[in-house]
Amino acid sequence: MANRTYADAAYRALADENASELATALLKAAVHYSGHWQTNRDAAELLAAVNARPAGFRQRLVDALAETVSPLSDDSPALANALGITAAVGRDLTWGEPLDAGRRGKLAEVGRKGEVQYHGWVPELVRAELEAGRTVPPAVVAALRRSALGAYGYKPVIELAPRLTEPVLNVGEAWADRALADGERWHALLAHAVTATAAKPTAKWEKTGRALVKEAGEDAVRERLLGWLRLVGAPRTLALDEHQYGPNPNDTYDPYNANALRGLAWLLSFLPPHPDTARALGALVETSLRKVAGLGPRGPKVANAGVTALSRIDSEAALAELARLATRVTFKGTLKMLDSALEARAVALGLSREEIEELAVPAYGLTGTGRAEYGLGESTALVEVRGARAVLSWRSAAGKPVKSVPAAVRRDHAEELKELKAAVKDIDKMLGAQAERLDRQFLARRTWSYGKWRERYVDHPLVGTLARRLLWVVDGTPVGFADGELRTLADTPLTEGAEGSEVTLWHPIDREPAEVAAWRDWLERHGITQPFKQAHREVYPLTDAELRTGTYSNRFAAHYLRQHQFHSLAAVRGWRNKLRLAVDDSVPPAVRELPQWGLRAEYWIEGDGGDDYNGITDSGSFLRLRTDQVRFYPIGAPENLAHACGGEYTMWLRGGESPVDPVPLAEVPALVLSEVLRDVDLFVGVASVGNDPTWQDGGPGGRFHDYWNAYGFGELSQTAETRRLLLERLVPRLAIADRCRIEGRFLHVRGELRAYRIHLGSGNILMDPGDQYLCIVPAGRTASGTETGYLPFEGDRTLALILSKAMMLADDTGITDPTITRQILSERA
């Protein structure tokens, strides 16, 4: 009724040809139409009636609107409505400075938006720019294109966007700005790339793309595209206003440009294979899957396009990237594509998936195991794998070490130097991926013939740097690699295995404690640091409590975990999990499928929002989880489900299915039980809120006070027990040994100012006297092995953290951080 009233007032003013009253009536009507002149029938009819009047009358109306808005502030809604009305009825008229200034200001405002949705004045203003022959600012074009692609597109914006054909890309992203700056020569290629909106290139799209590539020149296209892709993920060159809700648009991909990125990835697959191409596509996949708060992966469709491109390239480098990504990617959709690509390659070659992953690891130019030399002029470049990293060093013509890259190499061998540095980065990435793959082999039930094992593992130029630091079983005989050959526990060289010999990965669960201890001594004697815990691996035999419960373990129940950290860890360890949202939905537990064993492991969890719901993000996801049982089911058993907000799990039976009982823990193979519980121990050990040193007050509302204290200073988990046993061996060799002792759950450290106790599970610190808590927040990387001496394995960040804290506290008079000294001195006083 109100809308009709304002419309009637406008029609009366029209009939009286009273421009001033019409301006007032239209501004009031705009409020009630919410500025939607095109999508509201009554509003559209009113504007049509105004536009039917002579230009002279409409000019008086525009002048009246200008007079009305002249005193208004830039952020006044009336100014936006006046501009929308002026744009709708006065495109062919003179606006005057107040309206022109408002137009320029509002267009600049639009250009700073990630999206502009239900603002009727925006499309009217842009349409007026087009019809007046003015160039729409590129930032405004970008905002409208993004808006047209949004989930809740506004029809006038969607209809207007196709008219905005220039620039060919949206400005504001570093890679797009570079592509636009590279000139008109690349316009057609970029315009074609923007049309990549399907899941994979169609035959028509590919035909056009190949023709454009041929016209521009394959080498030139590769060089240009790789240069652009190197900038993907760089900070935006044009900052956008942040939303009150939802993800920060400065952290996300521009959706219009994301289509272009998909197209560029496909175009690269049309080029002859090149190592740089595979490298760039792998980096694009990883960059596109980086998480953005409130959104998740930044650009999964772009990541999928990168996988599609890699799968189309027939080269060792592309296959290596696919295999590497398969060990690192956790996003379900992209991981499924990677699995499919590797399976397809395996079928084509008549091999198993596991064999493809083994054969996909390139040597990266390494001629010996973990080592290669390159002569560049009179200098020699040496690439060496040292532990988990590849190192590039230099020697002069006289064979003496050189600290930096020789000037002659920079001058005369720039391309070779660039490729060497790229190879070192590739080796670093692949080392991490292969270490993770090897760590997952314990549950894979893999066996190898001796010859293939030597070729693909021990003698492989890259994988050999990892395999030679592990323990293996050759025809029942445990062996390690030392002094250039395989040796038994007694250091006797292994007689070369026969062709029919069988090799498996050694695991401590089925070994006597004396043998495990002996192998730990052997590794230490030979100075071998394992790439992950093997000889020192935690084992989880069945407990009396679990024999009593029968079908479930409560060993890791009643913990509070940070949900998103748990979710990421679970994916890395091969578990399938669904984020808990505060919605009316049912979700399964965290699941790890074990097809080689015919089992499915489940970790029952539920969202914890708190009594006042302060544990829920703006996007509706729980910040924390509560943990419950670990169970095992036959792999084909119906799925268990529980409400997303918590409650009992029940089996979902479909189509007359019968319920399936959980597998008694006593019937679960010891290796499977141990490895699954080790995963769960890892989840708790890393993601528990008890690990947060700033939560000594119990976190939000103090509701976690008791849990934080119990976890942070309570009984040790199996992982922490392993850490304690190791520290008992390491501490006596430290420079601060005379100031340290291990007692119970703590490493005791005597400083000059106070005495301290570091909990061996959480790393939390108590000060004596009085059990006063000392909060030390780790600042990035923890101490390296150069300070702590020999460590038998890599990857235990808490161990390194405990040792670094011990060294700092033993010399507490040398601490300069005021946040720490204030606690030590004030409590002491």
Side-chain angles (χ1 to χ4, degrees), residues 477-491:
T477 302
V479 295
F481 193 93
D483 301 324
E485 56 189 330
L486 293 167
R487 296 178 179 273
T488 66
L489 187 55
D491 267 339

Side-chain angles (χ1 to χ4, degrees), residues 393-435:
S393 58
W394 298 90
R395 290 178 182 169
S396 66
K400 294 182 178 180
V402 180
K403 289 185 178 180
S404 59
V405 181
V409 172
R410 292 184 185 276
R411 183 185 64 244
D412 302 331
H413 302 278
E415 282 302 313
E416 294 97 323
L417 176 60
K418 176 184 174 183
E419 182 58 33
L420 271 177
K421 289 182 175 180
V424 167
K425 291 181 179 179
D426 288 344
I427 292 171
D428 280 350
K429 291 180 180 179
M430 187 59 82
L431 281 170
Q434 291 304 308

Side-chain angles (χ1 to χ4, degrees), residues 513-573:
E515 180 189 339
V516 175
W519 274 114
R520 292 176 179 178
D521 290 339
W522 187 91
L523 291 167
E524 186 176 335
R525 186 167 67 250
H526 289 285
I528 297 173
T529 297
Q530 298 198 289
F532 47 82
K533 290 182 184 179
Q534 186 190 26
H536 290 78
R537 201 172 189 86
E538 301 84 7
V539 294
Y540 299 78
L542 203 59
T543 65
D544 290 341
E546 287 160 346
L547 286 172
R548 287 193 297 271
T549 56
T551 58
Y552 62 90
S553 170
N554 274 329
R555 206 183 301 197
F556 299 102
H559 286 280
Y560 293 91
L561 310 184
R562 292 178 287 269
Q563 170 169 220
H564 294 84
Q565 191 172 19
F566 164 78
H567 184 71
S568 296
L569 280 170
V572 168
R573 295 299 300 172

Side-chain angles (χ1 to χ4, degrees), residues 266-386:
W266 296 345
L267 289 170
L268 281 172
S269 72
F270 303 160
L271 301 173
H274 192 284
D276 285 348
T277 300
R279 194 176 292 137
L281 289 170
L284 179 65
V285 172
E286 292 182 298
T287 300
S288 301
L289 293 180
R290 286 179 187 153
K291 299 290 183 65
V292 172
L295 176 68
R298 178 185 287 171
K301 290 183 179 179
V302 177
N304 294 348
V307 173
T308 296
L310 283 168
S311 67
R312 293 167 59 98
I313 299 173
D314 186 13
S315 74
E316 179 185 85
L319 179 57
E321 277 299 315
L322 289 170
R324 183 185 69 81
L325 290 168
T327 68
R328 309 304 293 269
V329 166
T330 59
F331 183 69
K332 186 176 179 181
T334 306
L335 183 58
K336 184 177 180 180
M337 290 189 66
L338 286 164
D339 288 338
S340 297
L342 288 171
E343 289 287 353
R345 196 68 62 93
V347 170
L349 295 175
L351 300 171
S352 69
R353 163 66 184 274
E354 291 80 8
E355 288 179 300
I356 274 290
E357 290 184 347
E358 292 169 351
L359 295 172
V361 186
Y364 293 110
L366 300 172
T367 52
T369 302
R371 179 184 174 86
E373 291 188 9
Y374 302 88
L376 299 179
E378 295 184 350
S379 301
T380 300
L382 178 63
V383 177
E384 291 180 294
V385 175
R386 299 176 186 172

Side-chain angles (χ1 to χ4, degrees), residues 112-128:
R112 295 191 299 270
K113 300 292 185 183
E115 292 184 17
V116 286
Q117 292 295 352
Y118 300 103
H119 297 292
W121 58 270
V122 173
E124 296 291 353
L125 206 57
V126 173
R127 194 177 291 108

Side-chain angles (χ1 to χ4, degrees), residues 71-330:
L72 299 178
S73 62
D74 291 342
D75 59 354
S76 170
L79 174 59
N81 286 331
L83 288 168
I85 296 167
T86 303
V89 303
R91 296 169 191 164
D92 56 338
L93 305 174
T94 301
W95 288 29
E97 181 53 28
L99 288 172
D100 268 334
R103 174 183 62 80
R104 292 191 296 269
K106 283 298 180 182
L107 287 173
E109 178 185 318
V110 170
R112 295 191 299 270
K113 300 292 185 183
E115 292 184 17
V116 286
Q117 292 295 352
Y118 300 103
H119 297 292
W121 58 270
V122 173
E124 296 291 353
L125 206 57
V126 173
R127 194 177 291 108
E129 294 294 293
L130 291 171
E131 296 187 10
R134 292 187 290 264
T135 299
V136 179
V140 176
V141 173
L144 265 71
R145 285 172 171 170
R146 289 191 294 267
S147 303
L149 292 172
Y152 304 100
Y154 181 43
K155 185 178 179 181
V157 171
I158 294 172
E159 292 174 344
L160 181 60
R163 297 178 60 184
L164 305 173
T165 57
E166 293 295 332
V168 66
L169 296 174
N170 280 356
V171 298
E173 291 184 320
W175 80 267
D177 289 354
R178 172 69 60 81
L180 292 170
D182 280 345
E184 191 66 23
R185 175 185 178 186
W186 304 103
H187 187 282
L189 197 73
L190 290 168
H192 185 57
V194 168
T195 65
T197 56
K200 59 180 64 175
T202 63
K204 181 180 178 181
W205 197 98
E206 182 172 345
K207 181 180 179 180
T208 303
R210 287 186 180 277
L212 290 168
V213 167
K214 183 178 180 180
E215 180 182 348
E218 291 176 342
D219 290 341
V221 169
R222 178 187 298 108
E223 180 183 359
R224 197 64 60 175
L225 266 60
L226 295 186
W228 299 339
L229 292 186
R230 277 192 286 271
L231 295 174
V232 174
R236 283 187 58 87
T237 57
L238 176 64
L240 301 175
D241 295 341
E242 295 186 26
H243 305 313
Q244 182 178 3
Y245 303 105
N248 184 341
N250 296 293
D251 296 333
T252 64
Y253 280 163
D254 184 303
Y256 187 83
N257 287 350
N259 286 336
L261 286 175
R262 296 165 74 184
L264 295 181
W266 296 345
L267 289 170
L268 281 172
S269 72
F270 303 160
L271 301 173
H274 192 284
D276 285 348
T277 300
R279 194 176 292 137
L281 289 170
L284 179 65
V285 172
E286 292 182 298
T287 300
S288 301
L289 293 180
R290 286 179 187 153
K291 299 290 183 65
V292 172
L295 176 68
R298 178 185 287 171
K301 290 183 179 179
V302 177
N304 294 348
V307 173
T308 296
L310 283 168
S311 67
R312 293 167 59 98
I313 299 173
D314 186 13
S315 74
E316 179 185 85
L319 179 57
E321 277 299 315
L322 289 170
R324 183 185 69 81
L325 290 168
T327 68
R328 309 304 293 269
V329 166
T330 59

